[in-house]
PDB file of all heavy atoms in Angstrom:
ATOM      1  N   PRO A 258      -5.138   3.577   3.407  1.00 95.00           N
ATOM      2  CA  PRO A 258      -3.796   3.012   3.209  1.00 95.00           C
ATOM      3  C   PRO A 258      -3.796   1.703   2.413  1.00 95.00           C
ATOM      4  O   PRO A 258      -2.821   1.397   1.725  1.00 95.00           O
ATOM      5  CB  PRO A 258      -3.281   2.792   4.632  1.00 95.00           C
ATOM      6  CG  PRO A 258      -4.032   3.779   5.455  1.00 95.00           C
ATOM      7  CD  PRO A 258      -5.399   3.866   4.821  1.00 95.00           C
ATOM      8  N   ALA A 275     -17.332  -7.133  -9.882  1.00 93.00           N
ATOM      9  CA  ALA A 275     -17.544  -8.001  -8.727  1.00 93.00           C
ATOM     10  C   ALA A 275     -19.039  -8.138  -8.411  1.00 93.00           C
ATOM     11  O   ALA A 275     -19.484  -9.187  -7.938  1.00 93.00           O
ATOM     12  CB  ALA A 275     -16.793  -7.458  -7.511  1.00 93.00           C
ATOM     13  N   GLU A 291     -17.023 -20.211  -6.345  1.00 95.00           N
ATOM     14  CA  GLU A 291     -16.756 -20.407  -4.919  1.00 95.00           C
ATOM     15  C   GLU A 291     -15.259 -20.502  -4.661  1.00 95.00           C
ATOM     16  O   GLU A 291     -14.746 -19.896  -3.715  1.00 95.00           O
ATOM     17  CB  GLU A 291     -17.482 -21.645  -4.404  1.00 95.00           C
ATOM     18  CG  GLU A 291     -18.987 -21.460  -4.347  1.00 95.00           C
ATOM     19  CD  GLU A 291     -19.731 -22.680  -3.854  1.00 95.00           C
ATOM     20  OE1 GLU A 291     -19.085 -23.716  -3.532  1.00 95.00           O
ATOM     21  OE2 GLU A 291     -20.973 -22.609  -3.792  1.00 95.00           O
ATOM     22  N   LEU A 334     -35.530  -5.940  -2.614  1.00 97.00           N
ATOM     23  CA  LEU A 334     -34.266  -5.868  -3.339  1.00 97.00           C
ATOM     24  C   LEU A 334     -33.106  -5.700  -2.363  1.00 97.00           C
ATOM     25  O   LEU A 334     -32.042  -6.316  -2.533  1.00 97.00           O
ATOM     26  CB  LEU A 334     -34.309  -4.723  -4.356  1.00 97.00           C
ATOM     27  CG  LEU A 334     -33.106  -4.580  -5.279  1.00 97.00           C
ATOM     28  CD1 LEU A 334     -32.851  -5.860  -6.073  1.00 97.00           C
ATOM     29  CD2 LEU A 334     -33.311  -3.391  -6.218  1.00 97.00           C
ATOM     30  N   GLU A 339     -28.380  -7.958   0.174  1.00 98.00           N
ATOM     31  CA  GLU A 339     -27.724  -8.221   1.456  1.00 98.00           C
ATOM     32  C   GLU A 339     -27.393  -9.708   1.605  1.00 98.00           C
ATOM     33  O   GLU A 339     -26.290 -10.069   2.023  1.00 98.00           O
ATOM     34  CB  GLU A 339     -28.605  -7.742   2.609  1.00 98.00           C
ATOM     35  CG  GLU A 339     -27.914  -7.781   3.942  1.00 98.00           C
ATOM     36  CD  GLU A 339     -28.720  -7.097   5.038  1.00 98.00           C
ATOM     37  OE1 GLU A 339     -29.881  -6.715   4.821  1.00 98.00           O
ATOM     38  OE2 GLU A 339     -28.157  -6.950   6.139  1.00 98.00           O
ATOM     39  N   ALA A 340     -28.320 -10.575   1.237  1.00 98.00           N
ATOM     40  CA  ALA A 340     -28.080 -12.021   1.309  1.00 98.00           C
ATOM     41  C   ALA A 340     -26.975 -12.439   0.338  1.00 98.00           C
ATOM     42  O   ALA A 340     -26.117 -13.267   0.675  1.00 98.00           O
ATOM     43  CB  ALA A 340     -29.370 -12.786   1.006  1.00 98.00           C
ATOM     44  N   GLY A 352     -11.405 -18.297   2.854  1.00 97.00           N
ATOM     45  CA  GLY A 352     -10.050 -18.062   2.378  1.00 97.00           C
ATOM     46  C   GLY A 352      -9.154 -17.400   3.409  1.00 97.00           C
ATOM     47  O   GLY A 352      -7.932 -17.449   3.297  1.00 97.00           O
TER      48      GLY A 352
END
Side-chain angles (χ1 to χ4, degrees):
E291 290 179 0
L334 185 57
E339 189 171 8

